[in-house]
């Protein structure tokens, strides 16, 4: 059960995060993503997944994770750097981190004009699936939503965890 | 699904990266992200600029600026070893006429004022939109 205050912040944050993701895909990759909606769980069960993780602290605190298959991440990275060959793992990881960094930066701007509204960490890349996210927050950190996007046959997920204020 | 052209329209206008004497403007691209550097290099080369060098942190940027004296620098803010503003300050001490454009993410615009005060000519928000990025580069290189 998500606490009421977290649920309120979540609605606003989720809307900003969805819009920021759609905008970033347009700007960085020239692709129109489709927002599928909130999902119960990640579908597909791919074992080769990549996740980028960013923590936030301030008026909004918590963690955002972007998740996609390694093959799709390679495809996006190739688009980003204009490469016709499969990019290196280093470039793919770097691109995932940059993408989430730009999404969270855009979310921050959408939510407030105050630069100190919240601060966010450098991205961390996690390879694989079935991980358990543990945040050592003072108050309970809940996964408030899992947003699903589609790009043709490829899927992309944005998991949002917020700390109960 | 609609696929647009990444980074904007490639055939926007005539390339500007070449000087009247036929040589190219030389740009030093500084960013700790390898993909961001590749993205910027791709945009700059498409407008006929020459990449003088790439640097992955501020210290490397200062060193390369001093040895290569490029016409322009694109500088990221957050980097390991030495951040973009410190590198900008050091470059300005070496060459007060240095032309540096800062790159920032949307959520970190508060650092822009400090950079402009320290001598940056302009700033660009990531991801750079090709046309406006090249317009700013061009404006910065005008005598």
């Amino acid at each position: 059960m998500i606490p009421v205050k977290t649920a309120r912040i979540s609605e606003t944050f989720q809307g900003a995060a969805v819009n920021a993701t759609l905008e970033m895909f347009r700007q960085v990759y020239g692709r129109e993503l489709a927002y599928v909606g909130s999902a119960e769980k990640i579908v597909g069960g791919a074992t080769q997944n990549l996740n980028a993780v960013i923590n936030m602290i301030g008026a909004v605190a918590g963690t955002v994770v972007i998740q996609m298959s390694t093959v799709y991440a390679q495809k996006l990275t190739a688009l980003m750097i204009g490469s016709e060959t499969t990019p290196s793992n280093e470039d793919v990881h770097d691109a995932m981190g940059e993408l989430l960094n730009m999404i969270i930066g855009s979310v921050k701007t959408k939510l407030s004009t105050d630069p100190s509204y919240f601060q966010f960490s450098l991205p961390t890349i996690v390879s694989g699936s079935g991980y358990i996210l543990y945040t050592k927050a003072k108050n309970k950190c809940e996964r408030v939503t899992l947003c699903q996007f589609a790009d043709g046959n490829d899927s992309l997920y944005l998991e949002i965890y917020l700390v109960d204020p | 699904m609609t696929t647009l052209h990444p980074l904007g329209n490639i055939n926007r206008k005539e390339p500007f990266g070449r000087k009247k004497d036929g040589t190219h403007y030389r740009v030093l691209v500084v960013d700790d992200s390898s993909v961001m550097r590749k993205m910027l290099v791709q945009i700059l080369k498409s407008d006929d600029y020459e990449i003088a060098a790439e640097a992955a942190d501020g210290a490397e940027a200062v060193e390369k600026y001093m040895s290569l004296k490029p016409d322009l620098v694109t500088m990221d803010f957050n980097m390991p070893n030495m951040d973009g503003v410190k590198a900008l300050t050091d470059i300005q001490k070496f060459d007060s006429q240095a032309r540096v454009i800062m790159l920032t993410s949307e959520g970190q615009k508060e650092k822009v004022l400090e950079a402009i005060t320290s001598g940056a000519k302009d700033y660009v928000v990531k991801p750079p939109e090709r046309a406006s990025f090249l317009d700013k580069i061009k404006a910065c290189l005008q005598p």
Side-chain angles (χ1 to χ4, degrees):
Chain A
M1 185 71 179
I2 300 165
V4 177
K5 275 186 187 172
T6 309
R8 257 189 242 121
I9 295 169
S10 163
E11 272 180 38
T12 319
F13 192 95
Q14 184 181 344
V18 167
N19 287 332
T21 305
L22 297 174
E23 283 169 20
M24 284 305 141
F25 265 70
R26 229 171 268 137
Q27 286 179 46
V28 179
Y29 308 115
R31 294 179 89 85
E32 285 292 337
L33 269 187
Y35 175 51
V36 178
S38 290
E40 283 294 313
K41 60 179 183 177
I42 292 169
V43 186
T47 51
Q48 290 298 311
N49 279 342
L50 278 180
N51 312 272
V53 184
I54 280 184
N55 295 308
M56 305 167 294
I57 190 159
V60 175
T63 300
V64 178
V65 184
I66 193 167
Q67 201 239 53
M68 64 184 80
S69 72
T70 304
V71 173
Y72 183 46
Q74 287 169 341
K75 204 190 292 181
L76 291 179
T77 306
L79 265 179
M80 193 173 180
I81 60 177
S83 168
E84 288 175 4
T85 56
T86 305
S88 66
N89 283 343
E90 188 193 347
D91 278 352
V92 174
H93 295 170
D94 189 40
M96 284 278 291
E98 278 294 317
L99 172 64
L100 185 58
N101 191 57
M102 289 186 286
I103 289 172
I104 300 300
S106 175
V107 169
K108 184 177 168 183
T109 306
K110 287 177 193 305
L111 294 180
S112 174
T113 52
D114 176 6
S116 61
Y117 186 61
F118 69 80
Q119 304 297 318
F120 52 95
S121 68
L122 289 171
T124 299
I125 306 301
V126 181
S127 181
S129 57
Y131 60 88
I132 296 171
L133 193 79
Y134 173 73
T135 306
K136 196 173 179 183
K138 189 180 171 188
N139 298 330
K140 201 174 177 185
C141 190
E142 299 264 5
R143 182 169 94 177
V144 291
T145 191
L146 175 65
C147 304
Q148 186 182 0
F149 299 86
D151 180 0
N153 292 326
D154 293 304
S155 285
L156 170 113
Y157 295 90
L158 203 64
E159 291 179 86
I160 301 169
Y161 298 77
L162 294 175
V163 173
D164 185 16
Chain B
M1 183 193 74
T2 309
T3 302
L4 308 169
H5 199 294
L7 312 176
N9 184 359
I10 292 291
N11 301 313
R12 182 180 58 94
K13 54 175 72 167
E14 288 297 308
F16 181 77
R18 206 180 279 262
K19 298 175 191 172
K20 282 180 185 167
D21 65 5
T23 59
H24 299 268
Y25 284 109
R26 295 160 60 250
V27 183
L28 171 60
V29 177
V30 187
D31 203 303
D32 61 332
S33 160
S34 61
V35 291
M36 192 52 71
R37 289 200 305 273
K38 284 176 183 172
M39 199 172 161
L40 295 172
V41 165
Q42 189 193 359
I43 298 174
L44 289 164
K45 281 187 173 172
S46 74
D47 214 32
D48 233 6
Y49 289 94
E50 182 184 319
I51 306 304
E54 296 179 30
D57 63 52
E60 193 184 346
V62 175
E63 190 186 313
K64 287 191 171 165
Y65 187 90
M66 288 176 175
S67 61
L68 300 168
K69 296 199 185 144
D71 297 296
L72 185 128
V73 181
T74 66
M75 180 83 77
D76 187 23
F77 273 93
N78 291 328
M79 291 180 290
N81 299 329
M82 184 191 286
D83 70 20
V85 176
K86 175 74 170 78
L88 164 70
T89 308
D90 285 4
I91 287 172
Q92 288 286 329
K93 276 182 197 160
F94 172 75
D95 175 8
S96 60
Q97 301 301 308
R99 289 176 280 206
V100 180
I101 289 185
M102 304 299 293
L103 273 102
T104 180
S105 73
E106 274 279 8
Q108 293 167 327
K109 282 184 183 170
E110 70 271 18
K111 293 177 181 170
V112 168
L113 185 61
E114 187 189 353
I116 299 291
T117 310
S118 301
K121 301 292 179 205
D122 209 337
Y123 74 97
V124 173
V125 175
K126 291 183 192 180
E129 195 278 313
R130 184 181 180 273
S132 64
F133 175 63
L134 290 174
D135 282 347
K136 288 192 176 189
I137 299 264
K138 182 178 175 181
C140 191
L141 286 167
Q142 299 286 2

